[in-house]
Amino acid sequence: MHDRLIGAQRTLMSAPAHQIVEHLSEYLTKQYAIAALDLFQIDYRLSELVPLDGGPAVTHPGAPAWRAFDHLAEVVDGAALWLPVSVRGDRLGVIRVTPTPDDPHLRAELAEVADLLGHALVAAREGTDRYAVAARTKRLTLAAEMQWGLLPGRGRTGPAFALAGQLEPAYAVRGDTFDWSDDPDRLQVVVINGHGEGVAAATLTCLAMNALRNARRAGLDVADQATLADQAIYSYHRGAQHIDALLLDLDLNTGVVTAVDAGSPRLLRLRDGEISAVTLEAQDPLGMFDGTMYTTQTFTLEPGDRLFVVSDGIVEATARGTRYGDSLLDRFLARSGALSPLAAVRSVIGDLRAFIGGESIDDAVAVCLDWTPPGRGDDRG
C-alpha cells in the first residue's frame, strides 16, 4: 500500500468517530493538495444523496454524484471529482473532492481512500449517531427505527452473487424486513412479510428475525430455522399473531436453492429477459399453530439468473382499480436486467410510488439477488 494510503488509513483509525470525515479531509488537503472533501450519504428512501453537513441534497438521477453512486466509478465534473463509497457491495454514498486532480494515479489513490472511508463509516456508526441522523430527510417512526436496526445493510456482493433490498415506506415501515448471511459456499436470505401496525408489528418482526438468526447461527438448516422461529412466536402469542416468511439457501457453487415458503412473499425469476413465478408449496405462517414442522423444497438457478422477492405491499398496491402485481410488476421487472440489484430495487420502488401517486400506505419489501458464478461475465454496474 502506498505511504499516503497508509497515512489515510491511520488517520481514519485514530479520528474520533463523529469526526472521521473532517480528519480525513484535513489529511488529504496536505497530501493531495485538494481544497475540500465532502461526504454525501444515500438517504433511507434511496432517492437523495444527502450532504453530511447540510445543504441541498442531490436528487436528479443523471447528476454526476448519482452516476458515481450507480456505476461504482469515478465521475469527473469539471472541478469536482465524485467517487463512490461502499463496503462489500453496500453503497453508502459518494464523496466529492475539489479540485479534480489531473493525475489519474492520484485519482485512483483517492478511489482507494473512498473505500477506506466506507469501512471507517461502518465502524464509526457503532459509536455515534451523526451519520445515521444525517442520512435522514425526516424523522423515522419508532417502528421504522426498530426495523432499520434489524437490517444487515441494503446491499452485498461476493464472488458469485450480488443482492440488494429496500423497505418502503422508508420512514414509516412497520413489519416487513429482510436479512442475509453469506459463507464461502452458501448464501442465506430471508424476507418477512409482517402483520399488524406500528410498534406491535415491529416487535413481532424483531422476535421472528432474532429467532431465525439464532437458529441460523446455531448451524441449523432453513427448515429447522423456520421451525424454531415458529415455536418462538407461538410460545409468546399462542397463535394470535403470526408472520409470513420466505427462507432461501443458495449453494453458490451449483445454483441449487433450498427454500421454505411459510406463507411467503412472491418469488419471481428473471431469465433471459423473461419473468416467471417460482412456485413453491405454501406452508403455514410462522407462529400460527403449535408444533408446525417445516419441509424444504429445491429449485436450480442458471448462471446469470436474477431472483426478486416482493412482499404484499408491492403485489397488492392498487390504484385506479388496478393491482400493481397483476401485470405491471412483471413487465417492469423484465426490463431491469441491465441494472445492478440496488438500482433494480430502487427502480421498482420508484415505479410503485409513481403508480400509486405517492408513498405506499402498506409496508413493502423488494429484494433482488443475482447468481453470477465465477467464469461468467456480468456487466451490470
Side-chain angles (χ1 to χ4, degrees):
M1 183 181 288
H2 194 283
D3 288 347
R4 282 191 297 251
L5 292 177
I6 294 174
Q9 186 176 46
R10 289 174 175 168
T11 297
L12 290 166
M13 292 174 63
S14 61
H18 65 286
Q19 288 188 316
I20 58 174
V21 176
E22 288 80 3
H23 281 233
L24 179 62
S25 180
E26 181 179 347
Y27 174 81
L28 296 183
T29 298
K30 297 175 181 177
Q31 296 294 322
Y32 292 86
I34 67 168
L37 176 146
D38 302 292
L39 172 66
F40 291 69
Q41 297 181 105
I42 188 66
D43 84 310
Y44 282 62
R45 295 178 76 239
L46 292 176
S47 62
E48 301 183 29
L49 288 165
V50 185
L52 179 62
D53 290 323
V58 182
T59 59
H60 189 274
W66 276 108
R67 297 204 306 271
F69 180 86
D70 287 333
H71 300 291
L72 292 179
E74 73 166 42
V75 173
V76 176
D77 179 35
L81 171 66
W82 295 91
L83 295 165
V85 179
S86 66
V87 179
R88 300 182 185 275
D90 191 6
R91 305 182 194 203
L92 308 180
V94 294
I95 55 171
R96 180 180 61 194
V97 176
T98 53
T100 300
D102 293 327
D103 187 342
H105 296 292
L106 289 182
R107 296 201 300 272
E109 279 189 30
L110 288 169
E112 293 190 55
V113 171
D115 288 339
L116 294 174
L117 174 59
H119 286 83
L121 283 170
V122 170
R125 284 175 174 178
E126 297 296 319
T128 177
D129 290 332
R130 182 188 181 194
Y131 308 103
V133 171
R136 303 175 181 189
T137 57
K138 60 182 180 180
R139 183 176 177 179
L140 271 67
T141 65
L142 175 56
E145 191 81 60
M146 295 169 68
Q147 294 297 92
W148 282 101
L150 284 175
L151 292 184
R154 284 188 294 195
R156 184 77 171 171
T157 58
F161 74 91
L163 79 161
Q166 174 63 4
L167 303 180
E168 176 72 12
Y171 291 90
V173 67
R174 293 174 289 276
D176 292 5
T177 194
F178 56 86
D179 192 28
W180 52 60
S181 176
D182 65 286
D183 295 311
D185 299 316
R186 312 198 73 80
L187 170 68
Q188 294 193 34
V189 179
V190 59
V191 179
I192 285 178
N193 189 79
H195 290 274
E197 297 183 358
V199 172
T203 301
L204 175 63
T205 297
C206 286
L207 174 60
M209 184 60 73
N210 281 291
L212 289 166
R213 285 176 173 168
N214 179 255
R216 185 184 72 214
R217 292 165 181 171
L220 303 183
D221 64 22
V222 287
D224 287 339
Q225 290 172 30
T227 298
L228 187 147
D230 172 75
Q231 292 170 351
I233 297 170
Y234 186 85
S235 66
Y236 192 81
H237 292 287
R238 312 306 297 179
Q241 297 287 332
H242 53 82
I243 207 162
D244 301 330
L246 176 66
L247 289 76
L248 303 174
D249 184 341
L250 169 61
D251 186 317
L252 294 170
N253 297 313
T254 66
V256 174
V257 180
T258 303
V260 172
D261 180 340
S264 74
R266 182 180 292 188
L267 177 61
L268 302 163
R269 177 177 55 215
L270 176 61
R271 176 180 292 170
D272 298 327
E274 298 290 332
I275 282 284
S276 60
V278 178
T279 303
L280 300 170
E281 180 184 351
Q283 301 175 70
D284 292 330
L286 304 180
M288 180 173 280
F289 301 110
D290 188 18
T292 303
M293 300 299 292
Y294 292 89
T295 59
T296 59
Q297 302 163 74
T298 62
F299 60 94
T300 302
L301 299 179
E302 294 181 1
D305 276 358
R306 166 169 285 183
L307 292 178
F308 286 99
V309 187
V310 291
S311 66
D312 290 349
I314 294 177
V315 175
E316 297 179 0
T318 302
R320 299 170 296 280
T322 301
R323 280 202 336 158
Y324 185 69
D326 286 341
S327 59
L328 297 174
L329 174 63
D330 288 6
R331 288 204 297 267
F332 188 84
L333 295 181
R335 300 195 298 267
S336 72
L339 301 175
S340 69
L342 185 66
V345 298
R346 191 168 85 234
S347 295
V348 71
I349 293 295
D351 192 60
L352 176 68
R353 293 188 191 120
F355 171 76
I356 62 179
E359 288 193 348
S360 173
I361 61 173
D362 189 13
D363 278 6
V365 163
V367 171
C368 178
L369 165 64
D370 291 346
W371 182 51
T372 54
R376 182 188 186 278
D378 191 358
D379 59 3
R380 288 182 285 242

